[in-house]
Amino acid sequence: MTDILKLIKDRDPGEKEFHQAVKEVIESVKPVLDRNPQYRKDAILERITEPERTILFRVPWMDDQGQVQVNRGYRIQMNSAIGPYKGGLRFHPSVTLSILKFLAFEQTFKNALTTLSMGGGKGGSDFDPKGKSDPEVMRFCQSFMSELFRFIGPNTDVPAGDIGVGAREIGYLFGMYKKLRNEFTGVLTGKSLGWGGSLIRPEATGYGCVYFAAEMLATRNNSLKGKICLVSGSGNVAQYTVGKIIELGGKVLTLSDSSGYIYDEEGIDSAKLNFVMRLKNTRRGRIKEYIEKYSEAVYTEIDTSKDYNPLWDHKADCAFPSATQNEINAKDAANLMKKGVSLVAEGANMPSTPEAVNIFLDKKILYAPGKASNAGGVAVSGLEMAQNSMRLNWPSEEVDQRLKIIMKSIHKTCLDAAAEYGVPGNYLAGANIAGFVKVVNAMIDQGLV
Ligand code: NDP
Ligand code: 2IT
């Protein structure tokens, strides 16, 4: 068991996020491997942890001062056993091969859980959209796509957004793909509504995460009504998480960005959320500006000398980490437990460190791993692909209804798999096992390719 991890570490030392994601899955699926010796014989672990294809490319572009800049572009085509590669693009200075491999690996199992036919992929660049003008972002996206277009297509690989890639970037990327291929196809999801996008796609990850949380609470005859919630991030996922929590009667006290967090004891209501959406999506400002408008809130700057994040140290019932990987460490997890949190639903990908996850599992709280609870985004991307193929658009009620059904199904799938393998109530094991079994069986059916 440990030998496969050793093999991966020896082959690609330094890819610590990828090792972290692989280790978690391998530990969860041990009982599946024990029951199916054939999987070892077929070298399933060796195959599933090696991307089918890794594309790395130079992205040169010119800034507004006429200076040439060079970034690195990536696309990891991880696994196509159950459908075309599918997964977002991340533009952030912290992007490395390790981060994108972990994301592509997670995506493979997440997509398998959605009930739709999508393989796993992820890509992006170390480009930082922060502080860049629209023309700079456009030139970067055009340069990025002028290489990526060779490797993607509506039946091959369908990218979408992730951190730093929203409607603006998807528009520029799509425009360049269309020009180069002379084809108007569903090659990207997260498109704007007027040209092939799906209603509810912007909302889908946040809404889906809250639907998942509501399902978990229902298993304990409980609901979100009156629940005090901590949310991190203030981007796409965080915004619609807050929106849905408010709708279901919960109260959200926090939001954050990469500079700091706000704590609003009176709760972030719809008007305040609209302010945050304009601030972040239109003005591309900092969350700190919230306290200039709402003086009842308190802003705390990120202090990197601290070994914990004070956002997770407030009295609450539920936590929705929705910013980035490893944003909850063991100390944060212990603080959450001390402050009364009994539900953690991950909107972000792998936001809890393994030590933090172990604390949640030991305490037997309702803990949903990102690959289950944040799967609503890619699920509605799958519905966008379906609508594009049919050349028609479903109304928002229909997409939202399908999203709810999919989140309910993922929830049940996790619980059923966990129970079948002797770890009832463990959503982490359930998600990993169910996703793994679906992908692996498809790989075996299709032979050694
Ligand atoms: P956005 O770019 O819209 O927002 C990201 C938010 O997280 C911003 O508030 C950003 O702050 C903050 N953030 C990013 N990096 C860091 C960091 N290193 N430290 C602290 N804060 C940080 O991205 P999304 O909302 O789309 O993505 C958030 C998370 O959700 C990611 O983990 C992503 O992989 C995951 N996810 C996204 C899906 C989607 O459909 N968009 C689907 C499933 C998962 P700042 O404004 O300062 O940059
Ligand atoms: O992590 C994710 O699931 C996403 N960023 C969304 C991927 C997609 O293809 O919609």
Side-chain angles (χ1 to χ4, degrees), residues 75 86-90 103 107 110-111 118 121-122 158-163 189-190 201 205 349 374-375 377-382:
R75 186 73 183 165
K86 180 84 196 87
L89 297 171
R90 176 176 292 191
L103 288 164
Q107 196 82 44
K110 183 196 305 191
N111 293 3
M118 297 182 289
K122 202 87 188 190
V158 183
D162 193 78
I163 292 179
T189 60
R201 176 62 189 88
T205 312
N349 285 305
N374 75 34
V378 74
V380 174
S381 278

Side-chain angles (χ1 to χ4, degrees), residues 290-304:
Y290 185 97
I291 57 162
E292 290 164 22
K293 176 118 173 111
Y294 302 108
S295 55
E296 61 273 31
V298 179
Y299 174 73
T300 307
E301 194 85 22
I302 285 202
D303 179 354
T304 46

Side-chain angles (χ1 to χ4, degrees), residues 90 130 162 164 201 205 234-237 258 280 286 323 348-349:
R90 176 176 292 191
K130 245 186 233 119
D162 193 78
R201 176 62 189 88
T205 312
S234 52
N236 173 268
V237 178
S258 49
K280 281 291 173 185
R286 313 303 302 152
N349 285 305

Side-chain angles (χ1 to χ4, degrees), residues 263-335:
Y263 176 80
D264 185 342
E265 198 168 12
E266 291 176 16
I268 300 165
D269 61 18
S270 301
K272 291 172 175 178
L273 175 61
N274 281 338
F275 168 80
V276 171
M277 291 176 80
R278 276 196 307 277
L279 170 71
K280 281 291 173 185
N281 308 347
T282 314
R283 292 202 281 119
R284 298 182 195 277
R286 313 303 302 152
I287 197 69
K288 187 182 182 168
E289 292 175 46
Y290 185 97
I291 57 162
E292 290 164 22
K293 176 118 173 111
Y294 302 108
S295 55
E296 61 273 31
V298 179
Y299 174 73
T300 307
E301 194 85 22
I302 285 202
D303 179 354
T304 46
S305 67
K306 280 206 172 104
D307 63 352
Y308 71 101
N309 181 349
L311 189 157
W312 306 121
D313 196 16
H314 294 283
K315 198 170 158 19
D317 305 302
C318 308
F320 293 84
S322 308
T324 195
Q325 63 277 349
N326 292 327
E327 54 170 315
I328 297 182
N329 64 22
K331 191 154 182 189
D332 298 319
N335 284 339

Side-chain angles (χ1 to χ4, degrees), residues 133-417:
S133 69
D134 281 355
E136 286 177 325
V137 170
M138 180 179 77
R139 289 193 292 274
F140 174 80
C141 288
Q142 290 180 336
S143 180
F144 184 88
M145 187 52 88
S146 73
E147 184 57 32
L148 186 67
F149 84 102
R150 305 168 208 290
F151 305 102
I152 63 174
N155 296 311
T156 309
D157 184 354
V158 183
D162 193 78
I163 292 179
V165 178
R168 172 181 63 168
E169 291 74 19
I170 293 292
Y172 295 144
L173 291 163
F174 183 84
M176 196 60 182
Y177 181 88
K178 178 167 66 82
K179 183 180 171 78
L180 291 168
R181 286 260 193 233
N182 196 26
E183 268 179 12
F184 194 111
T185 60
V187 67
L188 291 159
T189 60
K191 300 184 289 297
S192 291
L193 285 180
W195 45 274
S198 173
L199 285 158
I200 307 292
R201 176 62 189 88
E203 293 86 344
T205 312
Y207 279 17
C209 189
V210 180
Y211 292 151
F212 197 96
E215 284 295 314
M216 292 200 292
L217 285 164
T219 66
R220 297 188 181 176
N221 294 319
N222 210 333
S223 79
L224 274 158
K225 201 164 172 49
K227 293 285 179 303
I228 306 292
C229 303
L230 306 175
V231 177
S232 64
S234 52
N236 173 268
V237 178
Q239 292 169 12
Y240 290 103
T241 296
V242 175
K244 190 50 83 177
I245 293 171
I246 296 172
E247 198 185 313
L248 297 185
K251 182 172 173 183
V252 180
L253 303 183
T254 58
L255 278 172
S256 69
D257 64 17
S258 49
S259 312
Y261 83 98
I262 57 109
Y263 176 80
D264 185 342
E265 198 168 12
E266 291 176 16
I268 300 165
D269 61 18
S270 301
K272 291 172 175 178
L273 175 61
N274 281 338
F275 168 80
V276 171
M277 291 176 80
R278 276 196 307 277
L279 170 71
K280 281 291 173 185
N281 308 347
T282 314
R283 292 202 281 119
R284 298 182 195 277
R286 313 303 302 152
I287 197 69
K288 187 182 182 168
E289 292 175 46
Y290 185 97
I291 57 162
E292 290 164 22
K293 176 118 173 111
Y294 302 108
S295 55
E296 61 273 31
V298 179
Y299 174 73
T300 307
E301 194 85 22
I302 285 202
D303 179 354
T304 46
S305 67
K306 280 206 172 104
D307 63 352
Y308 71 101
N309 181 349
L311 189 157
W312 306 121
D313 196 16
H314 294 283
K315 198 170 158 19
D317 305 302
C318 308
F320 293 84
S322 308
T324 195
Q325 63 277 349
N326 292 327
E327 54 170 315
I328 297 182
N329 64 22
K331 191 154 182 189
D332 298 319
N335 284 339
L336 286 168
M337 298 302 94
K338 265 189 240 151
K339 292 291 159 75
V341 166
S342 58
L343 177 149
V344 176
E346 296 183 341
N349 285 305
M350 207 169 76
S352 313
T353 64
E355 298 76 26
V357 172
N358 284 336
I359 292 175
F360 300 149
L361 296 178
D362 282 350
K363 295 280 181 200
K364 297 210 175 325
I365 64 157
L366 295 170
Y367 164 65
K371 62 171 76 69
S373 47
N374 75 34
V378 74
V380 174
S381 278
L383 301 181
E384 183 173 329
M385 290 164 72
Q387 293 169 81
N388 290 166
S389 298
M390 293 186 293
R391 297 191 189 281
L392 52 78
N393 300 304
W394 291 325
S396 58
E397 297 73 25
E398 170 150 13
V399 182
D400 195 27
Q401 193 50 34
R402 284 178 185 266
L403 171 62
K404 272 187 200 150
I405 291 169
I406 290 172
M407 297 316 296
K408 241 182 190 315
S409 150
I410 298 173
H411 178 265
K412 183 173 184 311
T413 301
C414 291
L415 283 187
D416 288 352

